[in-house]
Amino acid sequence: MTGIPVLLKDNIDVLGMPTTAGSLALEHSYPAADAPLVTALRRAGAVVLGKVNLTELANFLTVGMPGGYSSLGGQVLNPYDVTQTPSGSSSGSAVAVAAGFAPLSVGSETSGSILGPACANSVVGLKPTVGLVPRTGLVPIAASQDTAGPLARTVADVAALLTVLATRDERDPATAANPLVDHDFTVDLDPQALRGRRIGVVLGSAPAGDNRTLWDNATQAMRDLGATLVPVELDTRSGIEDGSSVLTYEFRRDLDTYLSGLPDDAPCRSLADLIGFNEAHSAATLKFGQTRALAAQAKDHAPGSADTRKYLADRAQDLAESKDRLDSLLQSETLAALLFAGYPGASLGARAGYPSLALPAGYRAADRRPFSITLLGPAWSEPLLLALGYAFERATQLRRAPSVVNPALSRGRRCSTADETREIG
């Protein structure tokens, strides 16, 4: 990766740059060191070009904040259609790649925050198994589900970036179980990978209208490549929708740990400090409120408290309704992966800590807006997911640059898009 520029979501520590998570309260918050994933990028010869905007605090400040909005950075725009959401929270990471600002970027996901922007902005995005990429030096939401992950224009580029990012870190115990350290994910890319594979398609997940046409084309392409598509039943409701307290409970715990470890001159040392700053500067910081932050601050973390008991019960239930359910389905039907239109399986995979891969799958005839599919697999199945995605991508070649899909948005730009699909080796 020598000389390849990479952009980072602004919740990732880079020495000499503020790590703001889009918050005005953290505008001047400088870390003491690079995050381990940044160290790995530098070691591989990548050029850390800079930071990109995100939904503030990875969309855990409040309910109702638009995807890609932060009080510090403003609103990220979708390069395919500025009237449409860029999705979040890794909005800038996806948009930067889609618009050609850099060939590679790193985002993060707790539940849908890589997959959503990848789908909305027609790029490839991988949400890894929790523990594949170290989280030290990332502004967190919840250690149970947080992970960083790569975004790029092609599966091969994602595989090359993931090869660098997949390391162990003694400060992140989740990485101790990582069996893919030093694995070269680019060697897994096989144009015949779909042949003979059984792929589960969740009943009731087929979209309508133009999206249905694109979905039918995508599934037929997989059949043509030798895959057997198996209809399956699966409840994909999110933990938050079911009343889970896991993210809210862990947010204060994990954010306080991150903030308290910053240098002594850091502007905030706790979630309480951040909430206080926002209240003192509410005209600039609280356009959409801070309901999630307040709910997290109110949790009682004392051992044996009602909140702690509910958290432990909810985490056990989350695992039972995600990991156990997915393992049972994948094994009973002998499935290589599950296939979705868009990313409705994001929450289920996130609660299980399992990987998912978003792939561009065309553009709607009526308005040229992007359509994508996602593949979800069991823990540590990134080599297979990337192989399956590569086979689909190579056979279909569906992704187009924003300047091709909606040229009016980029009219007047002087830069060439001739290398839009060039792979990084």
Side-chain angles (χ1 to χ4, degrees):
M1 289 189 66
T2 301
I4 301 298
V6 181
L7 286 165
L8 305 176
K9 186 176 181 178
D10 193 14
N11 63 347
I12 301 171
D13 284 349
V14 178
L15 184 64
M17 297 182 187
T19 304
T20 73
S23 171
L24 277 168
L26 301 177
E27 182 177 10
H28 302 294
S29 184
Y30 286 83
D34 286 339
L37 72 83
V38 176
T39 301
L41 286 168
R42 295 193 195 279
R43 187 182 301 119
V47 177
V48 177
L49 200 59
K51 302 282 200 78
V52 290
N53 197 14
L54 66 158
T55 316
E56 189 166 343
L57 290 181
N59 201 26
F60 217 76
L61 177 65
T62 192
V63 174
M65 181 176 284
Y69 175 84
S70 73
S71 60
L72 179 61
Q75 180 64 52
V76 178
L77 299 179
N78 187 319
Y80 287 90
D81 186 338
V82 296
T83 70
Q84 297 300 299
T85 178
S87 193
S89 64
S90 301
S91 318
S93 300
V95 167
V97 168
F101 299 151
L104 305 173
S105 71
V106 181
S108 70
E109 174 161 329
T110 307
S111 184
S113 289
I114 290 174
L115 300 178
C119 290
N121 299 284
S122 199
V123 296
V124 181
L126 178 74
K127 180 267 175 188
T129 304
V130 172
L132 185 69
V133 179
R135 288 90 52 85
T136 303
L138 273 67
V139 180
I141 292 178
S144 292
Q145 296 182 198
D146 288 349
T147 181
L151 297 105
R153 291 190 292 263
T154 69
V155 174
D157 287 0
V158 163
L161 181 51
L162 187 65
T163 298
V164 173
L165 297 177
T167 58
R168 289 198 182 99
D169 171 28
E170 62 183 14
R171 291 165 294 176
D172 183 356
T175 65
N178 181 2
L180 295 171
V181 175
D182 298 326
H183 181 81
D184 183 353
F185 293 93
T186 64
V187 303
D188 302 309
L189 306 182
D190 177 7
Q192 302 299 318
L194 279 159
R195 187 166 305 280
R197 301 289 186 180
R198 289 169 58 83
I199 308 294
V201 179
V202 179
L203 291 171
S205 64
D210 280 354
N211 283 350
R212 179 57 187 261
T213 300
L214 296 169
W215 168 250
D216 289 344
N217 291 342
T219 53
Q220 186 58 51
M222 289 194 170
R223 293 188 186 95
D224 293 344
L225 289 165
T228 299
L229 302 190
V230 182
V232 297
E233 293 185 359
L234 184 67
D235 183 355
T236 60
R237 286 177 297 177
S238 74
I240 290 178
E241 289 170 352
D242 289 342
S244 174
S245 65
V246 170
L247 301 188
T248 304
Y249 186 93
E250 292 189 10
F251 182 52
R252 190 185 94 199
R253 180 198 72 189
D254 295 342
L255 184 61
D256 282 359
T257 297
Y258 169 84
L259 293 174
S260 65
L262 291 172
D264 292 341
D265 60 352
C268 291
R269 309 292 296 184
S270 67
L271 175 58
D273 289 349
L274 189 147
I275 289 171
F277 179 96
N278 286 343
E279 289 174 345
H281 304 84
S282 59
T285 60
L286 296 182
K287 182 177 181 179
F288 299 99
Q290 53 181 345
T291 55
R292 283 178 170 160
L294 291 169
Q297 183 62 29
K299 292 293 182 186
D300 183 353
H301 285 234
S305 70
D307 286 340
T308 298
R309 292 197 306 272
K310 178 169 171 48
Y311 160 70
L312 293 172
D314 286 350
R315 178 58 182 154
Q317 182 174 343
D318 278 359
L319 289 172
E321 293 184 353
S322 59
K323 184 178 183 296
D324 294 351
R325 188 187 302 170
L326 287 168
D327 287 348
S328 175
L329 177 61
L330 291 165
Q331 292 167 13
S332 66
E333 297 289 345
T334 320
L335 302 175
L338 296 172
L339 176 67
F340 299 89
Y343 61 107
S347 173
L348 197 65
R351 284 183 283 161
Y354 285 0
S356 295
L357 178 69
L359 299 161
Y363 306 86
R364 302 191 323 199
D367 52 26
R368 306 181 196 172
R369 291 171 188 162
F371 173 75
S372 292
I373 59 174
T374 59
L375 290 163
L376 185 158
W380 318 114
S381 64
E382 284 85 352
L384 178 56
L385 291 181
L386 289 166
L388 299 175
Y390 179 78
F392 174 82
E393 176 190 79
R394 178 162 174 158
T396 59
Q397 296 290 303
L398 291 171
R399 184 187 179 274
R400 299 291 182 270
S403 57
V404 174
V405 175
N406 195 349
L409 282 177
S410 56
R411 193 166 289 136
R413 287 178 59 191
R414 295 179 180 274
C415 60
S416 171
T417 58
D419 65 344
E420 277 287 297
T421 58
R422 182 173 60 85
E423 296 179 358
I424 304 299

